């Protein structure tokens, strides 16, 4: 059952996530100044700097509610291990992939 | 297959035009609310309580829709509709819960009004499956069928459903409110760990009355419900419950979510003072307005109707012959079949717990198969148990072998009702936004470890209950073996309790020792079982051996390697 990655030497980065309002789909803030959103963690914006992440989070929250696009906008921690983006917390890994007990469901099913 | 004739009364409450209009209006009300949310007229803060009132949560992967199965009773037609919704709007399956409801995990907000409309077509809804209101009233999954039943609790559960739905005083209680009702001398609904637990019974004159327990509950602060009145006459049933809810509404804390449940109020006021407050309120309320008239009860009972039983005798020859010829069938009968109040019939539990399976999950195909089997063998009616199984409550004993053959062929014949493989588990961190740890993989690993049906039967009655967080949806506090998932610096650990009991002898389990990893938990369960088997007297249940020998030997064995 072990899910937690033990590679703790890599730097902790931040990314921003939410659920899309219309369908609840897990989405991530895309790179760039346009405040776009993507469905896959691999394509999400990564923030090395905590202040930059806070600024982007505030803008993303305002945009998500203002444009009625997304709910529950927040930032979480991840590491890049062997080129793979691995959220620090199990919860975020499950959100990014799908239920560990049904690998035929969620984003992992289309991987 | 001998399908039930349309309209034949199967013992499920029949809606009339008023019921249908009410539900239809609520669907249209929610449709307008969704449109206003999507158009921006409502903010998420404004919309959230409205969607919760319609059973719509936001979980990890999508919206989750919790559909009400009042007191766990369904028609085959309703189950087919749930299967259809699962296929059309979800991912081809649904999850039966410990509250006798059904949850879909992959719902889209924009589809929800259409789903609620489709549910209304079969007299179903999602009202009050969330929010700080009176939730689904739960009861015995064998209600109306059990041989030991004294009063049919469905009738009173339905009265409560009608009385509490959108009740203006009780739509914004301090917290959610859960009521369970039993009409037998046994407790198959965990009465004393509910906000209000009710035993329906009869006096020496045959009149119906109720015993009330208040202030039970699990979660962060587990409490066993306190007896506040041993006999409330039928005509005062509504008045007395209204009095309890009024006292709670007045004194229940709204400043701290963790102290808002009625169990905290009863604990802080004390049983005596709380009872006095309720009695005083009851004295003020009691009167014509709140009197539950016998003709109302009779009308509700009439609307349930009842299966058209045939005159049969117990243990017909063909049934005995089938058991003698097929040991697997005999085992399933011994474990999953309960005596029925009508001779020649039986109540059969369909386990949704195959070894290594996800407790409570059923695919749309399985739901359709079970609906067909309900039509063919149980008057088109079935039940959801609080243990996350389904029950066909009125099966002719001479049809049990045919039923079992169909179940077995489709992976639904697991003979483990009440045994170690019949694990209750919440959705946990795989789905739930509140969870700290996963529950399902642990349930799968334990049930796979104890997959052998003969070994399970040898071990006997032993309930394992798993919760992925302190909210205790998996009822771990009252598991003979309870498992609570905890987060320790981002790692999943599991705390084991022993000695919990959800029955008449209700008990909260004790923590055995420090939390362990998931893999260690499976080995710990094995160790606990081994200690039990090596210490038990003939026929002694796990819980009784534990009481006799104490925690010491179990603790010593589980933590021997630490």
């Amino acid at each position: 059952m072990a899910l937690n990655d033990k590679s703790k030497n890599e730097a902790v980065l931040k990314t921003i996530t939410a659920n899309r309002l219309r369908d609840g789909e897990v989405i991530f803030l895309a790179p760039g100044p346009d405040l776009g959103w993507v469905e896959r963690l691999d394509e999400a914006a990564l923030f090395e700097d905590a202040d930059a992440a806070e600024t982007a989070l505030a803008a993303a929250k305002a945009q998500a509610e203002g444009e009625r696009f997304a709910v529950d906008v927040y930032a979480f921690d991840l590491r890049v291990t062997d080129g793979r983006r691995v959220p620090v917390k199990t919860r975020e890994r499950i959100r990014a992939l799908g239920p560990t007990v049904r690998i035929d469901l969620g984003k992992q099913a289309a991987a | 297959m001998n399908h039930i004739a349309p309209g034949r009364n199967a013992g499920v409450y029949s809606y009339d035009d008023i019921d249908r209009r009410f539900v239809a209006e609520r669907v249209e009300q929610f449709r307008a609310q969704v449109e206003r949310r999507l158009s921006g007229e409502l903010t998420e803060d404004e919309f959230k309580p409205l969607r919760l009132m319609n059973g719509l949560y936001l979980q990890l992967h999508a919206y989750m829709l919790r559909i009400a199965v009042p007191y766990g009773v369904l028609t085959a037609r309703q189950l087919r509709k749930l299967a259809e919704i699962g296929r059309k709007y979800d991912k081809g399956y649904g999850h039966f819960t410990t509250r006798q409801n059904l949850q879909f995990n992959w719902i889209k907000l924009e589809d929800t009004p259409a789903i609620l409309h489709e549910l209304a077509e079969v007299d179903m809804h999602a009202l009050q499956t969330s929010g700080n209101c009176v939730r689904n009233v739960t009861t015995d999954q064998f209600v109306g069928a059990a041989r030991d039943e004294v009063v049919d609790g469905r009738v009173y559960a339905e009265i409560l459903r009608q009385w509490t739905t959108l009740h203006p005083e009780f739509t914004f209680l301090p917290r959610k409110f859960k009521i369970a009702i039993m009409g037998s001398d046994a407790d198959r609904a965990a009465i004393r760990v509910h906000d209000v637990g009710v035993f329906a019974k009869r006096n020496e004159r045959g009149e119906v009355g109720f015993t009330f327990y208040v202030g039970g509950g699990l979660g962060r602060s587990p409490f066993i419900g306190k007896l506040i009145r041993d006999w409330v006459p039928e005509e005062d049933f509504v008045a007395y419950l209204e009095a309890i809810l009024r006292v709670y509404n007045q004194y229940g804390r709204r400043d701290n979510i963790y102290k808002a449940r009625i169990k905290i109020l009863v604990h802080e006021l004390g049983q005596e003072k709380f009872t006095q407050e309720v009695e005083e309120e009851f004295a003020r309320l009691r009167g014509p307005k709140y009197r539950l008239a016998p003709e109302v009860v009779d009308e509700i009972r009439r609307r349930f109707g009842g299966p058209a039983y045939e005159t049969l005798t117990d243990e017909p020859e063909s049934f005995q012959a089938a058991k003698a010829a097929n040991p697997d069938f005999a085992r399933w009968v011994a474990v999953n079949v309960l005596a029925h109040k009508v001779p020649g019939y039986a109540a059969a539990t369909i386990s949704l717990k195959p070894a290594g399976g996800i407790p409570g999950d059923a695919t749309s195909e399985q739901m359709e198969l079970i609906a067909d089997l309900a039509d063919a063998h149980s008057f088109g009616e079935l039940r959801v148990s609080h243990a996350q199984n389904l029950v066909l409550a009125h099966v002719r004993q001479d049809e049990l072998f045919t039923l079992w053959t169909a179940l077995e062929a489709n992976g639904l014949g697991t003979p483990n009702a009440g045994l170690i493989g019949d694990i209750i588990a919440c959705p946990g961190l795989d789905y739930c936004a509140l969870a700290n740890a996963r529950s399902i993989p642990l349930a799968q690993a334990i049930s796979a470890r104890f997959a052998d049906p003969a070994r399970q039967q040898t071990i006997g009655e032993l309930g394992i209950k798993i919760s992925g967080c302190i909210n205790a949806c998996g009822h771990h506090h009252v598991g003979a073996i309870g498992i609570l998932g905890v987060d320790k610096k981002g790692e999943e650990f599991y705390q084991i309790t022993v000695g919990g009991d959800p029955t008449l002898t209700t008990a909260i389990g004790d923590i055995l020792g420090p939390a362990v990893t998931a893999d260690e938990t499976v080995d710990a369960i094995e160790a606990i079982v081994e200690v039990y088997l090596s210490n038990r007297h003939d026929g002694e249940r796990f819980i009784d051996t534990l009481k006799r020998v104490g925690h010491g030997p179990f603790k010593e064995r589980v933590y021997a390697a630490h």
Side-chain angles (χ1 to χ4, degrees), chain A residues 1-6 8 19-26 64-65 67-72 74 88-91 94-102 104-107, chain B residues 37-44 58-63 91 93 106-111 358 361 429-433 438 440-442 444 489-492 494 518-519:
Chain A
M1 280 178 62
L3 258 188
N4 293 297
D5 199 289
K6 300 292 193 294
K8 294 185 177 168
N19 288 81
R20 197 157 54 207
L21 173 64
R22 282 185 171 278
D23 58 7
E25 182 76 35
V26 175
E65 181 58 36
E67 296 181 16
R68 305 177 300 281
F69 184 76
V71 289
D72 275 8
Y74 64 92
V88 170
K89 290 191 173 177
T90 306
R91 179 184 195 275
I94 291 172
R95 275 187 87 245
L97 293 172
T100 63
V101 292
R102 289 289 304 267
D104 58 324
L105 302 178
K107 299 180 193 302
Chain B
R37 173 65 186 123
L38 293 174
S39 73
E41 281 182 69
L42 294 174
T43 65
E44 186 62 16
L58 184 62
Q59 297 284 32
L60 292 191
H61 311 293
Y63 291 93
K91 293 184 184 287
Y93 74 108
W106 301 86
I107 295 298
K108 297 175 179 173
L109 172 62
E110 56 195 357
D111 286 341
I358 297 177
D361 272 12
L429 191 51
D430 278 297
Y431 294 96
C432 178
R438 288 172 293 160
I440 295 170
L442 193 51
Q444 291 177 301
K489 297 180 181 172
E491 307 273 347
E492 295 166 292
Y494 297 87
D519 291 341

Side-chain angles (χ1 to χ4, degrees), chain B residues 122-166:
Chain B
V122 295
D123 299 343
M124 295 188 79
H125 58 76
L127 295 168
Q128 298 194 183
T129 56
S130 180
N132 293 336
C133 53
V134 177
R135 303 288 188 86
N136 185 31
V137 176
T138 53
T139 187
D140 179 10
Q141 66 269 27
F142 302 114
V143 65
R147 194 161 281 185
D148 61 5
E149 184 168 280
V150 180
V151 175
D152 185 342
R154 274 175 307 184
V155 174
Y156 303 95
E158 175 60 26
I159 288 168
L160 291 187
R161 185 175 77 93
Q162 295 189 17
W163 170 64
T164 62
T165 301
L166 301 196

Side-chain angles (χ1 to χ4, degrees), chain B residues 190-213:
Chain B
I191 292 296
R192 294 187 68 191
V193 289
H194 282 75
D195 294 301
V196 168
V198 182
F199 274 103
K201 55 191 185 180
R202 291 183 188 276
N203 64 13
E204 62 282 359
R205 292 191 295 279
E207 297 161 337
V208 172
F210 304 90
T211 298
F212 277 79
Y213 290 91

Side-chain angles (χ1 to χ4, degrees), chain A residues 22-38:
Chain A
R22 282 185 171 278
D23 58 7
E25 182 76 35
V26 175
I27 51 176
F28 304 94
L29 190 67
D34 300 335
L35 292 177
W37 295 85
V38 293

Side-chain angles (χ1 to χ4, degrees), chain B residues 360-550:
Chain B
D361 272 12
T363 65
S364 291
E365 289 72 26
Q366 287 176 324
M367 288 189 232
E368 283 159 348
L369 172 79
I370 293 167
D372 287 347
L373 293 172
D375 273 345
H377 300 293
S378 196
F379 302 93
E381 181 240 72
L382 56 125
R383 290 94 186 282
V384 183
S385 78
H386 89 272
Q388 303 173 285
N389 292 316
L390 297 177
V391 169
L392 298 185
H394 318 284
V395 184
R396 284 175 60 131
Q397 290 173 9
D398 58 11
E399 293 181 6
L400 280 168
F401 183 73
T402 308
L403 170 66
W404 173 78
T405 304
L407 292 172
E408 185 72 355
N410 289 278
L412 292 163
T414 310
N416 63 2
L419 304 183
I420 196 167
D422 189 7
I423 298 167
I424 289 178
C426 71
L429 191 51
D430 278 297
Y431 294 96
C432 178
L434 300 174
N436 293 320
R438 288 172 293 160
S439 306
I440 295 170
L442 193 51
Q444 291 177 301
I446 295 169
S447 75
R449 176 75 69 93
F450 292 93
D452 179 6
R455 188 180 178 209
Q456 287 198 49
Q457 206 174 1
T458 299
I459 295 166
E461 182 185 326
L462 202 171
I464 295 181
K465 303 181 196 295
I466 308 174
S467 300
C469 77
I470 196 67
N471 291 308
C473 294
H475 297 182
H476 65 277
H477 292 294
V478 289
I481 299 175
I483 300 170
L484 167 66
V486 292
D487 177 292
K488 285 189 175 183
K489 297 180 181 172
E491 307 273 347
E492 295 166 292
F493 277 78
Y494 297 87
Q495 194 175 68
I496 299 170
T497 58
V498 292
D501 179 0
T503 69
L504 287 176
T505 45
T506 313
I508 305 293
D510 299 311
I511 295 170
L512 195 62
V516 295
T517 66
D519 291 341
E520 289 170 337
T521 304
V522 181
D523 291 335
I525 303 304
E526 180 93 51
I528 290 169
V529 169
E530 283 174 10
V531 172
Y532 160 54
L533 293 178
S534 61
N535 281 278
R536 80 171 169 191
H537 292 164
D538 277 351
E540 195 175 46
R541 298 178 309 161
F542 169 80
I543 196 88
D544 297 320
T545 302
L546 177 72
K547 276 181 197 159
R548 183 170 52 76
V549 306

